[in-house]
Amino acid sequence: MKKLFLLPIFALLMAQVCATNPPDEGMWLPMFVKDYNYATMKHLGLHLTAEQMWDINNSSIKDAIVELGEDGDHFCTGEIISENGLMLTNHHCGYASIADHSTTDHDYLKDGFWAASYKDELPNQHITATFLVRMEDVTAKVLKGVTEENRDDQIETAIKELTNEAEENGRYTAVIKDFYDGNQYFMFIYEVYKDVRLVGAPPSSIGKFGDETDNWVWPRHTGDFSMFRIYTAPDGSPAEYSENNVPMKPKYSLPISMKGIEDGDFAMVWGIPGSTSRYLTSYEINLQLETTDKPIIEFCDAVLPVIRAEMNARDEVRIMYASDYASWANTWKNQKGELSSLTDLGIADKKAEQEKDLLKWINASKARKDKYGNPVDSIKAICESVDVTSFRYLYYANFSMRLSKLLSTAISLDVDLPDGQKKFSDEQKASIMEAYRESMKNSDAKTEEKIIAAELKLWMSLPLEDQPSFCTVIREKFHGDCDAYAHAAMQKSVIASEAAFQKYLDKPSMKVFMNDPIVKIAIGVYQQLYFNIFAYYYYDGAITEARRNFMAAMLEKNADSPMYPDANSTMRCTYGTVCDYSPRDGVRYSYYTTADGILQKEIPGDPEFDVNPKLKKLILDKDFGPYAMKDGKLPVCFLTNNDITGGNSGSPVINGNGELIGCAFDGNIEALCSDIYFDTELQRCICVDIRYVLFVIDKFAGAQRFINEMNIVK
Ligand code: ARG
């Protein structure tokens, strides 16, 4: 109460800005920002020209935005923050790389890592950094000559031709993606850099402070950042890793603001959101709850705690499974949040209202009726015909394979003896063994046994007639005891350990392999995948067509007010303001947190809330250097109402002057329906304050070499 009365008048006014200017919801295509969004952005406090953000001839903000990929698959966003190719992203984005370089002797997950010089920066085989050069609307070219009969083939051919030409003999990578469910096509021309090195990461007690308890939660006190550097060939061109490579000279790097933030300040996020389904119908939402959210939660409930327990018990297991576990646990909590917020906020009902509006608009004109029919009814019929159980088992099977390295190895190993051969040659043995090792990398036998037992329990919980065949054996020979069965299977299996597998390779027999108890479980699970996948194919084919029609109608209905397209791993801009929120009646959360909260959350020795002693001392001594706010406190995280989703992690949060104020890393649990519905009042983007990032690099880690190369605006 008292605090409210003390609030200076301008803060109240700023809070009003936030309330009266709802965020311009949406992840907008950068090419259209100038036409669609720029005026609103200026109104909210942007001082840049549209060309300073997006320009294909001169350097602009877009040139500092990095799409991070693993073997080409997009997973996060990063931003260039120095003239020497230094890149900032989240700790959870760098996590797999940090774990990869960790051992129990030099545990960078636990202790952090700060490269002391260029030569200490650690290469990563699988990470790519991709820059967008330009984009182009190719709808007319892709859809030229398309009829209902030849659609897929025709589109595929057109895409091949267009991308081939645009790639200029390998200089660029060109990708064409469909937008609005196949109603529009855009081509993206990229430059892909393959030498991306880890240069800095705080200990997990900072970078992952609060871990799963705080994940998706505000108020937050996590220093969720890590740093990489992109290297190029000496002539500046993209190149595979080489000792001779040099730090990149980027087209643009973001200046960094030390000025801090206030409630209501303009904030925009540029990044690469993965996927959203904002135009889903009520029927698809209700179906998704049953066919996706619930099975994922059921599976994770059954298996993840088992892995966690093994990780907690042994350090080497913790490091091995760290990255996979973190990403599964993140999905698990996200799905639970999505399920409850979709239900609690009555999102399907809200969508049903929009569907009524659309039908009213269609039915008001004969031409429209002829063109679109009743697109909502078509979707409804498809949804009603879905066999929910098939989808459920499909998830169980897919996830059983993905979570158990042993089961996926059993299916993927090529152990067939070539015709006429009774034994493998030494060369063949070596190559099969190499595949085995690669597939079993980062796995631990005891943990695998526990995972398999947990998965067996899930399969055994199904109605008898739906159970895979291995369940009969468990019931009849092991009195239904899955732990005992998994244990016996591990003892007997020829693939359970490298030693056992080597022995098998010395004396191979397909009969032995096919009767191997682990292989049999894997085959049983794989069959489930196979039996149930047709339900998915059928649904996917039917819904794709129905959705294209539905979206075509939506686009025409909204022709006067641009609709943003769903996220699809292409670059987007979202803008709004720094902003607080009310999670529930009677509660209002502040828009920022400070280091005080780190000490308030401290639980000494706890894996999630232990505070690093050096950090604690700095906080107690208020030794914040130049990074404190005017009141002497150290800012840690803040909120905006920017519209982000998975894939945006690590995206720059940029102020009205084009300076970096933070790095986006999370969403809030109250609005986890956000991939389907953006709730203006509730949805927030959680960001780590750039001043906390600088404080950790400078005061905590003493890694001034990085501070020195940044352009910090005081
Ligand atoms: N929820 C975040 C996202 O999906 C990931 C946060 C990672 N941190 C953690 N404590 N698990 O982008």
Side-chain angles (χ1 to χ4, degrees), residues 92 208 210-212 215-216 220 224 326 330 646 649 665-667:
H92 78 262
K208 214 175 190 296
D211 203 352
E212 277 318 304
N215 190 15
W216 301 110
R220 194 64 157 274
D224 197 342
N330 186 49
S649 281
F665 72 93
D666 212 355

Side-chain angles (χ1 to χ4, degrees), residues 328-363:
W328 281 96
N330 186 49
T331 302
W332 186 20
K333 199 165 179 184
N334 175 286
Q335 291 293 308
K336 285 193 271 190
E338 178 170 287
L339 177 71
S340 57
S341 67
L342 280 174
T343 317
D344 298 350
L345 301 173
I347 303 304
D349 293 343
K350 289 187 183 158
K351 295 280 184 165
E353 288 304 313
Q354 293 172 7
E355 287 148 28
K356 272 192 210 151
D357 279 353
L358 179 70
L359 289 179
K360 213 165 121 191
W361 173 82
I362 292 176
N363 290 332

